[in-house]
Amino acid sequence: MEIVDLNGITRVYRSGALAVEALRGIDLQFSEGEFATIMGPSGSGKSTLMNMIGCLDQPTAGSYYLNGEDVSRFDKSKLAGVRNRTLGFVFQSFHLLPRTTALENVELPLLYNSDNLSWKEIHSRARKALEIVGLGDRTDHNPNELSGGQQQRVAIARALVSRPKILLADEPTGNLDSRTSFEIMDLFQKLNQDGLTILMVTHEPEVAAFSERIVTLRDGLLRSDKKVTPANAKEALANWIDQEDLEIENEMKL
Ligand code: ADP
Ligand code: MG
């Protein structure tokens, strides 16, 4: 079964007499376990599409089946429920609470949406999520005591703590340098190998190269949809380090 099944999706933004057709009939499916990237020029509808897939917005026309349910007809509270149960979000700016530890930031979604979990269970789930992203030794640090890459890892742990089926990431490496971007892609590839479906927006081809499918939008329409052989982020990182060493070596020779 397709976990995301979009059929004839349109989205028209209206303000007064003006209407902007941000999506103009999108047919698009994603299977469980995919790691896909959405690309396209600015204004092509990427964020509108991500908001749609993320149940933050609803189509003007068309149907959207998420995990087998027709969410295009859901009301606001049912949509919020689906979001909490099925989806995790990561953004370009990490949206962490300042003066709040990494652990508390990650616990937050479970406090809103606890399923009656005990405190002990909330702590242990949050701790485990931080371990998964490689920050088991940073649980008591506030965001301003962490690097950009570490802050994005906390945000990823916060997205994972509710055990979503799909991770939606809108420009997750937009605020990170290349080296740190590759580290985040290494984490995404690991999470994807463990079964998580990942849908990511990026405008950087070298980041998209780590996913296995690249969907391109243009003017609210699907322009291309290609399966690709993903680059290996771990190898890219290893080569990166080699190159740095080489540069240091060359400097020493001078
Ligand atoms: P992208 O993320 O690819 O840059 P968007 O999905 O943000 O594109 O925008 C697609 C089109 O819809 C653009 O023309 C944009 O100006 C318009 N748009 C986006 N959000 C709104 C809104 N809230 N109100 C009116 N127009 C919008
Ligand atoms: Mg956008």
Side-chain angles (χ1 to χ4, degrees):
M1 187 189 64
E2 308 292 356
I3 193 162
V4 167
D5 185 4
L6 302 162
N7 292 287
I9 295 288
T10 67
R11 176 65 166 98
V12 181
Y13 292 111
R14 283 185 197 287
S15 60
L18 215 73
V20 177
E21 250 189 306
L23 299 175
R24 302 191 290 154
I26 300 280
D27 296 314
L28 187 58
Q29 284 77 34
F30 295 102
S31 311
E32 203 159 355
E34 268 195 274
F35 180 7
T37 300
I38 297 165
M39 300 191 80
S42 173
S44 58
K46 304 182 297 294
S47 292
T48 303
L49 182 63
M50 284 297 262
N51 289 345
M52 204 66 73
I53 295 172
C55 295
L56 296 160
D57 187 18
Q58 282 177 303
T60 307
S63 70
Y64 173 21
Y65 285 84
L66 171 59
N67 206 20
E69 289 185 296
D70 184 2
V71 295
S72 46
R73 307 282 174 268
F74 276 18
D75 64 22
K76 284 228 160 69
S77 88
K78 274 184 100 176
L79 274 184
V82 169
R83 271 202 306 276
N84 292 337
R85 272 182 278 119
T86 317
L87 305 166
F89 296 88
V90 176
F91 304 95
Q92 176 171 356
S93 42
F94 322 121
H95 295 309
L96 299 175
L97 290 184
R99 295 180 294 282
T100 306
T101 65
L103 189 68
E104 289 164 338
N105 266 286
V106 176
E107 285 171 352
L108 217 59
L110 295 180
L111 300 182
Y112 284 122
N113 171 37
S114 67
D115 298 329
N116 297 320
L117 294 176
S118 68
W119 263 110
K120 202 176 153 196
E121 204 156 11
I122 289 174
H123 285 317
S124 90
R125 270 223 217 167
R127 200 170 283 281
K128 190 149 175 239
L130 282 166
E131 276 163 18
I132 288 170
V133 303
L135 289 178
D137 57 348
R138 293 286 188 280
T139 57
D140 295 330
H141 287 56
N142 289 354
N144 66 353
E145 299 164 339
L146 297 169
S147 69
Q150 289 172 332
Q151 290 182 54
Q152 190 59 301
R153 282 167 191 275
V154 175
I156 293 166
R158 182 185 53 192
L160 295 177
V161 79
S162 312
R163 299 177 181 165
K165 283 185 163 288
I166 309 176
L167 185 70
L168 297 173
D170 197 346
E171 299 273 4
T173 62
N175 284 351
L176 304 174
D177 60 52
S178 314
R179 168 86 209 259
T180 311
S181 298
F182 288 6
E183 287 173 1
I184 296 296
M185 289 304 107
D186 181 35
L187 176 57
F188 275 17
Q189 287 189 331
K190 262 186 233 146
L191 294 170
N192 178 245
Q193 271 158 25
D194 290 341
L196 185 66
T197 306
I198 302 180
L199 307 182
M200 164 174 87
V201 167
T202 184
H203 63 266
E204 297 167 277
E206 63 274 26
V207 170
F210 297 112
S211 70
E212 55 193 17
R213 177 178 172 190
I214 301 178
V215 173
T216 311
L217 296 185
R218 179 159 205 157
D219 297 330
L221 290 169
L222 209 65
R223 183 157 188 254
S224 69
D225 185 354
K226 292 194 191 105
K227 296 249 188 235
V228 292
T229 306
N232 182 303
K234 195 166 282 315
E235 278 172 23
L237 274 169
N239 292 336
W240 186 279
I241 292 163
D242 288 343
Q243 197 182 343
E244 266 186 1
D245 285 349
L246 206 70
E247 276 165 22
I248 292 167
E249 240 169 69
N250 285 341
E251 272 171 32
M252 306 257 270
K253 277 182 205 150
L254 291 174

